[in-house]
Amino acid sequence: MKIYHIAAEMAPFAKQGGLADVVAGLTKSCIRQGVDVEVILPHYRFLTIPFDRHKTHTFSFHRGGKSYKITVNRALIDDVPVNCIECSTTPYFDRDRPYGTPGEQMKSFLFFCIAAMAYIEHQHASAIVHLHDWPVALIAALAKTEKHPTIHASIFTIHNLQFQGECLEKDLAAFGIKATKELQLDNPKDPTKLNLMASAISHADHITTVSRTYAEEIQTSEYGWWLQDLLRGHRSKLTGIVNGIDTDYWNPGSDPHIHSQFAARSPHLEVIKAKHDNKRALQKELGLPHVHSPLICSITRLTTQKSPDLILHAMEKCCEIGMQFALVGSEAPKELAARFQSLAKKPNISVELSFNPRLSHLLYGGADAIFIPSRFEPCGLTQLIAMRYGTIPIVRSTGGLKDTVEDIEYGEHKNGFVFEHADTQAVDWVLERVYQTYTNAPGIWEKTLFTDLSLDFSWDNSSLQYINIYKTLEN
Ligand code: ADP
């Protein structure tokens, strides 16, 4: 049976965060394992995909007394068929990033949901839909309540429970959808609004989230964003599956951006030399002095989830104890951006406030360690990518960070540095340990680096767990 992944993002051409990497990596791995998978995405204005013009498909569908004409453009990306939907009459996706202003994105994603369902119906063959996060959550509820003729079952993956798709009755009414009790759109946080994610949690045949710890955490009031009771009620169909990374794309052995490529299995001396050369090239590019002390990086959106206050604190602490810090951070509000810019004047600090994939590759390749102090982290990909490049993770113990990084002293795998609390004392404590280990115990530092390089974070293990769920849903 065909599996349609329906999402707002797919790496690398429509990426705002880790969700994009997951859609690309998981689908590619499923195809390799012989699963019949396709992706359905909005056709954003900024897409530069080589579409196969012979496979463009245009048709009309009706819903709620209205008729919509859509065009579906098709491309094969890394062997994965990708279908990009646009409306022939209204430019719903005419924007330069996946998410627009709140009003604009709600309208466009609701349209995307009904258009994707119409497209699947148009294919006439029974299929399973794999839905990613709130923009496509409504599909689970509509497929079930309207007894969709070709959607056999749905799986809903929560990448980040914080964003739930709050909307109003009139938003749905604009597409001929009545917010009936049956759709279960109740919003525990604000009863005056509807909640798309809540409806998917109720209606999807299976729910997954992106790590085992996050699957537990979201059932508690601390991490549940008002949906903890609903999730607890549906825990029998909730599974935590840790994300993988696309190890072809994130490959220090072939990464065109980094100065010296190296394979994880190269002789140790070669790896150490390549890491050293990459660090030197990075320092040169960023204007940092070439000193023998750890260079820490962060590659992140600067939203509250990612603890930008603790990143600022860590930069100051690094200056104090003689370490270097390089940040590439996107989505910083103005005031926060100014605080980062002012720290950037210090000689051991580099700050780039943008979404900059090239620089992210240089940091993964050349930094000694990556600092990830998240308040919550469903899975987190930056620690996985960093380990693939021999860059040691320093993480707060939450969600997927907890599942993938174990402390060099207290953990079993000993592949990084872990701290418990999201506060400045904990950050000081962990950074002092990082400095001491690098300076006074280089053998342990190197051992940790090689442990990280030896770990397998490819999609192959995790995709098998998804494939098992697809098989169960097929029957
Ligand atoms: P989230 O999805 O919450 O943003 P993840 O750790 O799951 O966090 O995934 C982040 C992805 O986005 C990684 O591939 C990371 O390299 C990339 N990324 C994050 N911030 C930036 C940035 N400022 N510039 C370039 N890439 C970034």
Side-chain angles (χ1 to χ4, degrees), residues 297-298 300 304-312 314 325 370-377 394-398 401 419-423 427 430:
C297 73
S298 279
T300 185
T304 318
Q305 175 193 344
K306 309 289 181 176
S307 305
D309 52 327
L310 296 181
I311 297 177
L312 274 166
F325 201 112
I370 187 165
F371 179 61
I372 315 171
S374 306
R375 294 238 145 39
F376 68 95
E377 194 58 78
I394 308 164
V395 305
R396 177 167 174 249
S397 181
T398 183
L401 298 173
F419 59 102
E420 279 295 323
H421 300 291
D423 60 32
V427 170
V430 80

Side-chain angles (χ1 to χ4, degrees), residues 54 69 83 103 136 193 243 334 410 419 432:
H54 303 292
K69 189 171 173 198
N83 305 282
V136 295
K193 291 190 181 139
N243 284 335
K334 246 191 186 160
Y410 320 110
F419 59 102
E432 270 155 26

Side-chain angles (χ1 to χ4, degrees), residues 259-421:
H259 183 272
S260 292
Q261 298 167 348
F262 62 94
R265 293 212 189 95
S266 305
H268 281 203
L269 277 179
E270 264 178 45
V271 172
I272 295 296
K273 179 165 184 331
K275 281 294 292 179
H276 181 266
D277 291 350
N278 287 334
K279 180 172 175 181
R280 216 182 167 118
L282 176 65
Q283 285 169 323
K284 194 166 169 217
E285 164 134 356
L286 299 179
L288 293 171
H290 183 64
V291 289
H292 180 74
S293 75
L295 168 50
I296 318 289
C297 73
S298 279
I299 300 161
T300 185
R301 295 181 294 114
L302 289 165
T303 55
T304 318
Q305 175 193 344
K306 309 289 181 176
S307 305
D309 52 327
L310 296 181
I311 297 177
L312 274 166
H313 179 81
M315 288 174 149
E316 277 167 357
K317 181 73 185 172
C318 282
C319 290
E320 189 189 310
I321 55 182
M323 299 201 283
Q324 297 184 323
F325 201 112
L327 164 74
V328 56
S330 50
E331 300 179 32
K334 246 191 186 160
E335 204 180 305
L336 188 67
R339 292 179 65 195
F340 278 112
Q341 296 294 15
S342 105
L343 260 181
K345 293 180 192 128
K346 301 205 176 198
N348 278 323
I349 300 291
S350 163
V351 171
E352 166 65 31
L353 295 179
S354 67
F355 191 83
N356 188 332
R358 179 182 163 272
L359 181 54
S360 79
H361 283 254
L362 300 189
L363 291 173
Y364 287 126
D368 295 297
I370 187 165
F371 179 61
I372 315 171
S374 306
R375 294 238 145 39
F376 68 95
E377 194 58 78
C379 177
L381 294 179
T382 58
Q383 82 280 15
L384 305 182
I385 302 168
M387 286 190 267
R388 173 107 171 111
Y389 283 71
T391 298
I392 297 175
I394 308 164
V395 305
R396 177 167 174 249
S397 181
T398 183
L401 298 173
K402 185 171 177 177
D403 293 356
T404 55
V405 183
E406 293 185 33
D407 193 84
I408 59 162
E409 278 180 52
Y410 320 110
E412 194 187 323
H413 285 104
K414 303 193 183 307
N415 58 331
F417 295 85
V418 180
F419 59 102
E420 279 295 323
H421 300 291

Side-chain angles (χ1 to χ4, degrees), residues 6 48 75 108 118 140 143 171 194 245 293 309 328 330 352 412 436:
I6 313 179
T48 50
S108 64
D171 297 325
L194 307 174
I245 53 171
S293 75
D309 52 327
V328 56
S330 50
E352 166 65 31
E412 194 187 323
Q436 291 305 332

